[in-house]
Amino acid sequence: MKRSFINQQMRDANATFARHGYVPPPWATWSPAQWDADPARRHFCAEHQMGWIITDFGSGDFFRQGLILLVARNGVAGRAGQRVYAEKAIVMREGQEAPYHYHRAKTEDMLVRGGGSLGIDLVKVDAVGKPIEAPVEILVDGARSTIAARQAVVLTPGESLTLPPLQAHRFYGLPGTGTSLVGEISEVNDDLTDNYFLEPFGPMMIEDDEPPLYLLWRDLAAG
């Protein structure tokens, strides 16, 4: 993925944030020079896995399978005196998806803050991550129901779905409804140790054809 493309996705994400009244932390729009001037903040965000994540999940087709995500707040798993929660803002375009994945440790809420509707397909997995094609109990804003495995749950703006551990989920922007601003509120998030995909994918390479507009989390961690 070219850095120029990543920069444009960040501009588009900021436009979506503004359209729906979401104000990210000030550091989300810091220049690389501003990060260099505050190494303590850079270390904090890198250690807490906070910052921009833009990926195509190795698909090579970002608009089909991709994600713009900003981790605004997070703790460090297993460390005392830390936040015990994480907060993310996600921009999902119509027809764009994040593939099936699950977590072993954290419970999370997916919520639509504004814009288009979000589809979420669910399937439980066993202790080794094998899908269980059995009915799934869901919790949407306090209302419990049971659906078939991989049946879509549709969230409209203002609605949220609670996802417990070992419940694999694929989510996507529903065609014809517009770009969604999605929020995620969860227990501490650790993508390095608690993010399991049903289908593996390769690393995403970045071609620096222009300087970064803002730094990705991977840039902060590399620094």
Side-chain angles (χ1 to χ4, degrees):
M1 188 180 292
K2 291 186 176 181
R3 182 72 70 165
S4 57
F5 181 83
I6 291 171
N7 289 344
Q8 185 57 53
Q9 301 318 302
M10 290 174 166
R11 294 185 187 97
D12 291 349
N14 279 330
T16 299
F17 294 162
R19 187 159 55 249
H20 298 292
Y22 175 75
V23 181
W27 51 256
T29 54
W30 277 7
S31 68
Q34 287 174 292
W35 282 111
D36 289 342
D38 195 339
R41 187 81 65 95
R42 180 172 184 150
H43 175 75
F44 182 91
C45 288
E47 185 179 43
H48 288 72
Q49 297 182 41
M50 292 163 54
W52 289 95
I53 298 173
I54 297 178
T55 180
D56 63 6
F57 299 103
S59 69
D61 187 352
F62 174 80
F63 294 109
R64 179 184 63 83
Q65 194 171 77
L67 196 65
I68 303 173
L69 187 151
L70 177 67
V71 184
R73 289 161 187 90
N74 199 13
V76 176
R79 186 180 299 181
Q82 293 286 318
R83 290 179 175 125
V84 295
Y85 60 88
E87 177 203 345
K88 300 178 183 179
I90 302 168
V91 175
M92 292 295 298
R93 292 183 174 87
E94 297 180 38
Q96 187 179 42
E97 71 159 20
Y100 274 112
H101 61 287
Y102 66 94
H103 315 288
R104 295 184 182 277
K106 74 173 183 178
T107 295
E108 61 187 337
D109 273 8
M110 299 290 295
L111 55 145
V112 181
R113 295 191 182 278
S117 298
L118 187 73
I120 307 178
D121 299 347
L122 304 170
V123 62
K124 294 187 291 187
V125 299
D126 64 17
V128 296
K130 181 180 178 180
I132 303 171
E133 304 298 336
V136 179
E137 183 178 277
I138 64 170
L139 180 64
V140 177
D141 295 318
R144 295 187 183 276
S145 60
T146 301
I147 62 173
R150 303 182 192 271
Q151 179 180 333
V153 178
V154 176
L155 300 181
T156 58
E159 291 186 308
S160 66
L161 170 70
T162 300
L163 296 167
L166 300 180
Q167 193 172 93
H169 45 285
R170 162 188 175 260
F171 59 91
Y172 46 91
L174 285 181
T177 66
T179 297
S180 304
L181 175 59
V182 179
E184 180 188 309
I185 306 296
S186 74
E187 296 175 272
V188 170
N189 176 78
D190 187 350
D191 282 344
L192 301 178
T193 64
D194 191 31
N195 212 14
Y196 303 90
F197 286 81
L198 296 192
E199 295 183 4
F201 57 89
M204 188 186 78
M205 307 302 294
I206 296 178
E207 177 187 341
D208 283 313
D209 61 329
E210 68 180 37
L213 177 65
Y214 314 127
L215 297 183
L216 297 166
W217 174 76
R218 64 189 279 175
D219 299 322
L220 297 176

